[in-house]
Amino acid sequence: MRKLIKIGAFALACSIFANCSNTRYLKPGQNLYTGSEIKINPDSAAKIDNQKQVKKELEGKTRPRPNKSILGLKPKLFIYNLAGEPKKPKGIRNWLRNKVGEAPVLMSELKIKYNNDVLKSYLISQGYLQAEVTGDTVIKNKRGKAIYTAITGTRYKINKITFPPDSGDLTHVINQNKENTLLKVGNFYDLDTYKNERIRIDNDLKESGYFYFSPEHLILQVDSTIGKNLVNINVRIKNIAPEASLKPYTIRNINIYPSYHLRRDSVLRSLEPLKYNDFNIYDNRDTFKPRVFDRLVFFKKGERYNRKDHNQSLNRMVNIGAFQDVRTEFLPIDSFKNSQLDLNIYLTPLKKNSLTFSVTGTNKSNNFVGSELKITQTTRNIFRGAEQLDVSASGGFETQYSGQASGINSYSLTGEAKLTFPRFIVPFYKPKSTTAFIPKTIASLSYQLLSRDTVYKLNSFKAQYGYNWKENQFKEHNFNPISVNLVTSNKDTASAAYKLLTDQNPGLEYTLQNQFIIGSNYNFTYTNQMQDKRRHNLYFFGGLETSGNVWGLFTPKNAEGKKEIFNTALTQFVRVETDLRSYYKVTPTVIWANRLNLGYGYAYGGSTSLPFVRQFFAGGTNDIRAFRARSLGPGTYQIPNNNTGFADQGGDIKMMLNSELRFKIVSILHGAAFVDAGNIWLRKEDPLRPGSEFKLQNSLDELAVGTGVGLRVDATIFVIRLDGAFPIRKPYLPSGQRWVINDVDFGSKAWRRDNLVLNIGIGYPF
């Protein structure tokens, strides 16, 4: 063990000071390969277009790849050499050499002629049709590299494009869509563009019934002999294209097997089908109502095959959430002799019932730790229309583990029933959806009990009816025209704990009143985060909620001038929130993430502020991490002694900005450096909380700012996050004294106690 420690220390010293040479471990005649160098037109002063990018592409295509290096050093090769030849097939030495280390890449592995051909082929594909590449090697002190010289010549451009003459149905389709061609006169010759043009034509033909056509049946003839570095392109159908690919196909029979399993294959095929519209349904178990397939299958008998209907049908059958396996089969009739296809659809349903458990742990920055247990019973296809009923029950708790009020406990109990219909259900109207995504109608009923120790309890009863649909893979809509929420509270107003809580949170007294929230809400989400190859990804959320605006017209006022339903105040407000996020890949392992979160609530009628369950809050693990959860604001107000009791500072207006640089350290360990800024405000000044009113001209001066660093364990299926943050701007200090950067003192125990906040979270903050 001591020897291995010495080896590790020696390797580290070598990698830092570069006092060791990896070549000393090479056998006689061996030379270490250090990489390649590309020279483009070295005897010409003129540069080609995008020369740096072309050079980078050429370097990336050379083989072999040299040993990995960091700042010119090769630590993995150091470890391989210093670990030595293992004497046993297992053990630390073997692990260091073969898992951590990396074997030397030798000059003997270099194949100059192969690389010459690869680089020349790439240049030709980019339009340098007269390119030539020659390679050579340079060896010195047992280290060698390859030098490739590329003479490119002039890059060719497109002079003319010719499509096949319009002599039949197939060529008519090609010519009908030739205005959409990717080939443009004056553009550079580019092989990738030619390949994509073949795919474009194939897509057009697939939409017109040419099921067996393939891009390989097209040829783009390039004539480079016309001079002036120009080419003519002639698009043609290959003479060897099979006959089946040259004719359009129509759909004859549509056979659906809704309860398919391989062991039941022969039984199902022998059944007498149920004929419904254009479908033959083989199912002796009557698993689904036939009308379900009107929304899943876009093909009709006698119509030409087209790829759009094919893809939309597949996507709908997959996205409906009722099947564990979906398979389609197109079979030609009489072995390609005619032009008809039979469509067989094999569907294997998911189990009707399933039970899921989940446990989550929390550690919040307001010194509360806890966990939640949730159990969900799912019943599928409950009315034989691919509906889904989810009944769930969950319970969670929090406890304060430090601070003067340690021992204060909080728990929540939640029950919810949610019924999802895979279609729009609108009274007196039958909307149609032609996208690949299944629209959903969702009705839900829930109850939640939140108990804050013995101080107060909140009961929330909620019923909601609405719709969820995707416009495309990027855009999603949620609209709930009916949303009813009754919030009641039980509190011991005479207790010392309640008095302490309301003293620290003066606005809490009003927000804990019994309230009816009756209205509608709409949310829109846009994201392209599923496109991993994009360098810049975006996420946008916008939400609008109203309450009491319609009911308020018919609800009488009480003696105090407030509107009530069953002796409970009707809350009237409009609430708007937006959340814009940007993820920019600086390098493949470094991401710059930013978020702008804005919220505004306007309470009117008998309401002076948003209800507690609709307010905005600031501070916490996913917010402004240098301040404890819900302890920030509103405005320049500061709660007395914010280390004790509950912090429940809510507001009507919120502004928050986050910027975080995320980077990979090693394996699944990632790091981050971040800055958070923001605050909340009340729309109207609360006399008990001076400085709480929002004034546009003062808003930037009243922003809190915090910064810090973090570690993340990102195992893809879960992320555990640890963030350490501290404030550098405190809005509750007098104007002109709010920046506290000069007060930062990590060596002071008192400063750390009052300013350093540790956050443990699950998932990324945004």
Side-chain angles (χ1 to χ4, degrees), residues 605-634:
S607 306
T608 58
S609 183
L610 292 177
F612 181 77
V613 292
R614 296 295 191 274
Q615 285 187 325
F616 300 104
F617 300 90
T621 58
N622 299 325
D623 206 278
I624 306 169
R625 286 161 278 186
F627 296 85
R628 305 188 187 281
R630 301 189 175 193
S631 67
L632 188 59

Side-chain angles (χ1 to χ4, degrees), residues 39-48 51 149-153:
K39 295 181 179 181
I40 299 178
N41 301 326
D43 297 328
S44 173
K47 292 186 177 181
I48 66 172
Q51 179 157 315
T149 302
I151 308 300
T152 62

